[in-house]
Every structure is written in structure tokens, then in C-alpha cells.
Amino acid sequence: YFIQSNLSCIMSIGSSNAENIKSQLTRPLNSLVTLCLTRLSRNRESPGPVPSHIAHHDITVPVRNGQTSVGDHVKTLFDCELPADKDNETFVECLKRAQCQGAGIRFVILGSETAVGKWLNGGQRGQGLNYRCVAQHFVSNPVGPGQRNFFEQTLLLGEVQYDDIDKQLEEMAQAEGIDQSTIKYGENQAYDRMLEEASVICQRRLANIVRCVARCNLRPICISGGNEDILGLGYGVHLGTARNLTLGNLDCHADYKYLEERGAHSGNGFSILNAIDVLKKYAVLGLTPYENREYMMEQLISSNCWYRFLDDISQIGATNRPSLYDSLVDMLRALEVDDDVVPGLCVDIDVTEDLGTVSCPATLGFTRTQVHELVQEFTRYNKPFFLLIAEGMPSPSLPLNEGMNRTLGKYQAALVTCFLRNCISVPHI
């Protein structure tokens, strides 16, 4: 189907086991072909023309008397030097030059959101707005005391493009008489097959961009619509650093499902990384017993992973259960290894209670303040090289700066800032 004819990707039909997925993730791809770069409009200036080979979107940095915004200090590729071509080596050289300019870039923020991974796992389908929602609130925040340094070392890159894949999925759905808003996995075999193959291509695109970033010893921060992007992000870091990973996950779902024939979806990213021998240690904090099946917990145990349920954490000082802080300490200890590995942190924001703008809301969760503090302490002590914030789903019916979209954007932007602030004293890997 379209995967073979239009995207030149050949995958064993009907099979999405770990080795097939691994072989697809390692295929080379030109990064700029699949990137939509972020450009900031500052001080009410009109941005200039953009070369035809560069896809981009604009974000306006607000002007406020007497204060500067984050957007006045973070960098974009438009502030450095745009690649003259679309190939990977040109992209890598451009990132290296950005490293050497001014304060020197150390962090790269990028977005990735496609509906494919959530369709395969039964989650709600977003509208591809999460990265732009977070980026808008991130650059609009005022710069506080002592923050200018790490913002100047941050590059706001842009987001991975999946429009061509989504368009061709839509064309096939129309040809087959499928309603994409209601169809579920298992209802149409041909459409299922396309989703499976498309899911791996999406992760291949993300992995290729992250590989280029990690090759430059830059720390990637990925704002994602679904937790399946831990596969592309983690494997990209693995390729770029030639090291295995340890991963901490704040999540109410373990996302450690069987490697069934569903491609790469939001429920099996961690189990795929483990199956292809990339993931050395995995620990997940915040699980709810209402959201995790027994077989998945058995898989965690058999893989020697660490986990803790919300029900097993005391929020009121009960002496028969560990506190939230003690649980975090146990998590950090479980991730300690002697090998030379790259640590990472994943925050699935559906672990947050009373936050309806997520793709798979849970029954219980942590408060926003607790999640913020967990990220702070985890970053200080584990020194993660990369961060994934996943599952945010802004409403397309509201402007990005209003209502729950505002809450969601500012919340995730605060987690990004928390990560930057607590990483800035951490030496390069």
C-alpha cells in the first residue's frame, strides 16, 4: 500500500516484532525533509523571507515593559545559521555551529505528535497542537532571577512533520469508506496494516532527528502527543551516543504491553526498547491498579523493572507505606547501574490528577505541584540526558492561550523550565 509505494519503506506485512522495528529505525533519512522549524518574532519585528527548502512556523514573543521573556533569550536555527541543504551532515554541522555561538547551545526542544500511535492503543486522537501550545507559553514566560543563563543555552528547534502520512491514511480511509473518527483497531485489516507500518515510520523520523542532536552532545527535550515517542527518542539517543539507556517514567500506565502485531504504539514503547536491547533499566512511578493489566505487571517483574502503585504511596503520613519522597528515592536507586549508560526521564502528564486535556486521562494521579517537584528531584540526582513530556492534548476549539489550553501549556512549560534549571550544573556526558 502507500507505505511501500510512496515512502519506500518495506516491512514484513502483518508482523511488527522487535527486530523488524529495529531494522526500520536504523534506516537513514534526511532530517530537514521531516522538520518544521520554529521561528520567533521578537520586538514586533516582521520576520524576513525563508528559503524554499525550509518548512517553518512562527511564534510571536510578547513585548512587556520592564521585563524580558524567555523568547528573548532562547535560540532558534533562524538566529544561528540555516542549513543550506536538507542532508543530515549539513543539519549536524548547523547544530555544531549553534553550540559554539554565544553562550553555546546545550539543550534542544523539539515536538512530535501524530495520531497513529494513539489510534493503535485506543487513546484519544489529538490535533497536533501540543508542541505549539507548550512553545507559545514557554517563550511567553517572564525570565526570573538566575534563569537567563540556561535559556540562552536552549535551542527551540521545531516539530517533526507527519502530514504526508496522515494525508495518505486519510485517502485510504476515504477509499475504503472508513470513518477515521470512530474506527478502532481490528475493524479493518488493510487499514490496521497501514497504521502498523506508519507507526514505525513515524518513530524512524523522530529517531533520525534525535540521533543528529545526540551526535552533537546536545540534550533533547521532546514535547509529544503520545508516549510511543519514547521509542523514537530513546533509540535516537542510543544511536547518537552509542550507549544503552536507563529510563524513569512518571506515569499511571506502565506502557509495557506485549509486542503484538500493532507496530509502535503508546502502550509498548518501553517494552520494544527492552526487546531490542537498548533499555538497561526501567522504573515507573505512579501506576494506578485500575489502568494496568495483570499480564503487563508480570512482564515488568520478569524484565526486572521497578514500579510502584499510587495505592502503595502514603500521601497523609501513614507509617505502613512509603512516602512520595521515599518512593522517589527507591526509584532512583533502582536505576543505578555500573555500566556506562545514558539516563532519561519520561513524564506522561496523564499521571496528573484533574487535568482533562490529556489523551488517556486516569482515575487518580499526582498534583501538578507534586509532579513538578518529582521532576526537580529526579533531575538533580539522576542527571538525565533527555526528557520526554507526553500525552498533552490541547483542545482545537479554544485558542492556545485560553482556558484549559492555557493551564496545559503553562504546566508543561514549567516542567521544561524545571528540567533546564536543574540540568544546567550537570556536565556534558
Side-chain angles (χ1 to χ4, degrees), residues 27 46 97 131-132 137 141 148 156 179 195-196 205 227 230 232 270-271 293 397 408 411:
R27 287 171 174 261
S46 298
R97 284 194 293 271
Y131 168 77
R132 299 195 186 194
H137 289 282
N141 283 338
R148 178 174 175 174
L156 198 59
D179 183 353
L195 285 174
E196 292 166 6
R205 290 186 179 183
N227 230 9
I230 191 59
F270 296 98
S271 46
R293 298 177 183 177
S397 62
L408 179 68
Y411 171 44

Side-chain angles (χ1 to χ4, degrees), residues 8-254:
S8 302
C9 175
I10 300 173
M11 183 175 176
S12 299
I13 301 301
S15 174
S16 54
N17 60 44
E19 287 306 315
N20 275 326
I21 291 175
K22 182 177 180 179
S23 68
Q24 293 305 311
L25 290 174
T26 55
R27 287 171 174 261
L29 194 69
N30 287 335
S31 295
L32 280 184
V33 176
T34 58
L35 262 178
C36 180
L37 300 181
T38 296
R39 181 173 65 166
L40 298 180
S41 176
R42 304 181 179 97
N43 301 320
R44 300 190 180 93
E45 296 176 353
S46 298
V50 176
S52 59
H53 70 283
I54 300 290
H56 78 286
H57 70 272
D58 292 322
I59 297 178
T60 300
V61 179
V63 177
R64 300 185 181 98
N65 291 331
Q67 71 178 41
T68 60
S69 299
V70 172
D72 295 318
H73 298 285
V74 296
K75 304 295 190 295
T76 71
L77 283 186
F78 291 89
D79 301 317
C80 305
E81 183 178 347
L82 289 173
D85 204 347
K86 298 179 180 181
D87 65 271
N88 281 336
E89 291 307 314
T90 305
F91 179 56
V92 168
E93 290 303 315
C94 186
L95 290 174
K96 287 181 178 178
R97 284 194 293 271
Q99 264 183 306
C100 300
Q101 294 178 358
I105 299 300
R106 290 183 58 188
F107 306 94
V108 175
I109 301 175
L110 70 154
S112 173
E113 182 165 9
T114 174
V116 175
K118 288 181 285 188
W119 283 354
L120 288 169
N121 200 32
Q124 298 184 54
R125 305 160 195 180
Q127 301 294 321
L129 298 174
N130 198 34
Y131 168 77
R132 299 195 186 194
C133 181
V134 177
Q136 179 65 70
H137 289 282
F138 178 69
V139 302
S140 299
N141 283 338
V143 175
Q147 294 183 342
R148 178 174 175 174
N149 184 30
F150 57 80
F151 288 135
E152 289 179 342
Q153 298 181 43
T154 302
L155 178 74
L156 198 59
L157 181 60
E159 55 189 325
V160 188
Q161 296 189 96
Y162 305 111
D163 293 350
D164 57 327
I165 295 177
D166 293 338
K167 180 181 178 181
Q168 293 182 67
L169 284 170
E170 182 180 348
E171 289 174 354
M172 182 188 175
Q174 291 175 351
E176 296 278 334
I178 295 171
D179 183 353
Q180 286 186 299
S181 64
T182 59
I183 189 172
K184 296 180 180 179
Y185 184 85
E187 295 179 349
N188 185 294
Q189 186 176 8
Y191 192 69
D192 290 349
R193 183 177 299 168
M194 290 185 64
L195 285 174
E196 292 166 6
E197 296 181 5
S199 69
V200 180
I201 291 176
C202 291
Q203 295 312 306
R204 173 185 161 207
R205 290 186 179 183
L206 175 59
N208 186 72
I209 293 168
V210 172
R211 177 180 65 87
C212 294
V213 171
R215 273 182 60 188
C216 300
N217 203 21
L218 299 172
R219 296 171 179 267
I221 299 171
C222 183
I223 310 300
S224 165
N227 230 9
E228 68 274 10
D229 285 336
I230 191 59
L231 175 58
L233 175 61
Y235 199 71
V237 169
H238 167 70
L239 291 175
T241 62
R243 302 183 193 182
N244 288 338
L245 314 177
T246 60
L247 280 170
N249 187 20
L250 304 179
D251 200 342
C252 58
H253 307 96

Side-chain angles (χ1 to χ4, degrees), residues 110-411:
L110 70 154
S112 173
E113 182 165 9
T114 174
V116 175
K118 288 181 285 188
W119 283 354
L120 288 169
N121 200 32
Q124 298 184 54
R125 305 160 195 180
Q127 301 294 321
L129 298 174
N130 198 34
Y131 168 77
R132 299 195 186 194
C133 181
V134 177
Q136 179 65 70
H137 289 282
F138 178 69
V139 302
S140 299
N141 283 338
V143 175
Q147 294 183 342
R148 178 174 175 174
N149 184 30
F150 57 80
F151 288 135
E152 289 179 342
Q153 298 181 43
T154 302
L155 178 74
L156 198 59
L157 181 60
E159 55 189 325
V160 188
Q161 296 189 96
Y162 305 111
D163 293 350
D164 57 327
I165 295 177
D166 293 338
K167 180 181 178 181
Q168 293 182 67
L169 284 170
E170 182 180 348
E171 289 174 354
M172 182 188 175
Q174 291 175 351
E176 296 278 334
I178 295 171
D179 183 353
Q180 286 186 299
S181 64
T182 59
I183 189 172
K184 296 180 180 179
Y185 184 85
E187 295 179 349
N188 185 294
Q189 186 176 8
Y191 192 69
D192 290 349
R193 183 177 299 168
M194 290 185 64
L195 285 174
E196 292 166 6
E197 296 181 5
S199 69
V200 180
I201 291 176
C202 291
Q203 295 312 306
R204 173 185 161 207
R205 290 186 179 183
L206 175 59
N208 186 72
I209 293 168
V210 172
R211 177 180 65 87
C212 294
V213 171
R215 273 182 60 188
C216 300
N217 203 21
L218 299 172
R219 296 171 179 267
I221 299 171
C222 183
I223 310 300
S224 165
N227 230 9
E228 68 274 10
D229 285 336
I230 191 59
L231 175 58
L233 175 61
Y235 199 71
V237 169
H238 167 70
L239 291 175
T241 62
R243 302 183 193 182
N244 288 338
L245 314 177
T246 60
L247 280 170
N249 187 20
L250 304 179
D251 200 342
C252 58
H253 307 96
D255 293 337
Y256 211 79
K257 290 185 176 180
Y258 290 141
L259 302 182
E260 71 265 87
E261 296 181 359
R262 287 199 190 187
H265 61 69
S266 58
N268 67 7
F270 296 98
S271 46
I272 292 176
L273 285 174
N274 179 69
I276 61 179
D277 297 322
V278 171
L279 187 57
K280 188 75 174 179
K281 288 284 187 178
Y282 176 50
V284 55
L285 176 64
L287 300 177
T288 63
Y290 322 106
E291 310 287 345
N292 293 275
R293 298 177 183 177
E294 184 177 5
Y295 84 83
M296 191 157 56
M297 308 316 299
E298 291 173 351
Q299 286 212 137
L300 284 173
I301 294 171
S302 65
S303 300
N304 198 29
C305 302
W306 181 93
Y307 65 88
R308 183 155 294 166
F309 285 99
L310 273 171
D311 289 17
D312 297 326
I313 302 171
S314 173
Q315 307 284 355
I316 59 173
T319 57
N320 62 333
R321 288 173 292 157
S323 67
L324 182 55
Y325 178 78
D326 290 338
S327 297
L328 177 63
V329 171
D330 291 342
M331 181 187 195
L332 291 167
R333 286 174 177 164
L335 291 171
E336 291 179 352
V337 292
D338 296 329
D339 297 341
D340 189 14
V341 296
V342 178
L345 172 62
C346 176
V347 181
D348 187 327
I349 61 168
D350 63 18
V351 78
T352 313
E353 65 181 8
D354 297 328
L355 195 67
T357 48
V358 296
S359 65
C360 192
T363 312
L364 301 173
F366 299 125
T367 66
R368 290 196 289 271
T369 301
Q370 286 174 325
V371 173
H372 184 273
E373 189 167 1
L374 287 169
V375 170
Q376 175 176 306
E377 295 304 309
F378 187 99
T379 304
R380 286 177 59 194
Y381 291 100
N382 185 259
K383 302 177 177 61
F385 182 71
F386 62 98
L387 171 69
L388 174 70
I389 299 178
E391 302 289 347
M393 194 177 70
S395 170
S397 62
L398 286 175
L400 295 181
N401 60 350
E402 292 185 9
M404 283 304 297
N405 285 351
R406 174 182 171 85
T407 301
L408 179 68
K410 291 184 76 67
Y411 171 44

